[in-house]
Amino acid sequence: ARPEPGDIAITAMAQWQLDQRDEARATLAQLREMMNDAEWADDADAKTLLAEAVGLIEGGVAKKEE
């Protein structure tokens, strides 16, 4: 079975929490690519999980740089 956006988002957030920063960013990039697919582009749950992952990973970067 192929992964769904939720699986990828949770993986990215878990990697971030485990201090696997580069892996988390790569997984987030994979999630963004997946969200370009018509199958997922309008999926509300997928969009919510993408936003959560972005907030954690990219928000975390901004906070660390302050």
Side-chain angles (χ1 to χ4, degrees):
R2 107 181 198 231
E4 295 189 2
D7 302 325
I8 304 298
I10 290 168
T11 298
M13 291 186 282
Q15 289 168 326
W16 187 262
Q17 294 294 356
L18 292 169
D19 207 29
Q20 298 171 356
R21 305 305 199 210
D22 292 337
E23 294 90 341
R25 289 184 193 100
T27 304
L28 181 59
Q30 179 184 358
L31 176 58
R32 283 190 164 123
E33 280 295 314
M34 182 178 274
M35 292 301 294
N36 288 329
D37 188 312
E39 179 180 1
W40 301 113
D42 293 323
D43 186 286
D45 291 334
K47 286 180 176 182
T48 297
L49 286 165
L50 172 63
E52 287 184 33
V54 167
L56 176 66
I57 294 168
E58 294 182 349
V61 170
K63 288 176 188 167
K64 282 189 171 276
E65 291 175 355
E66 289 177 356

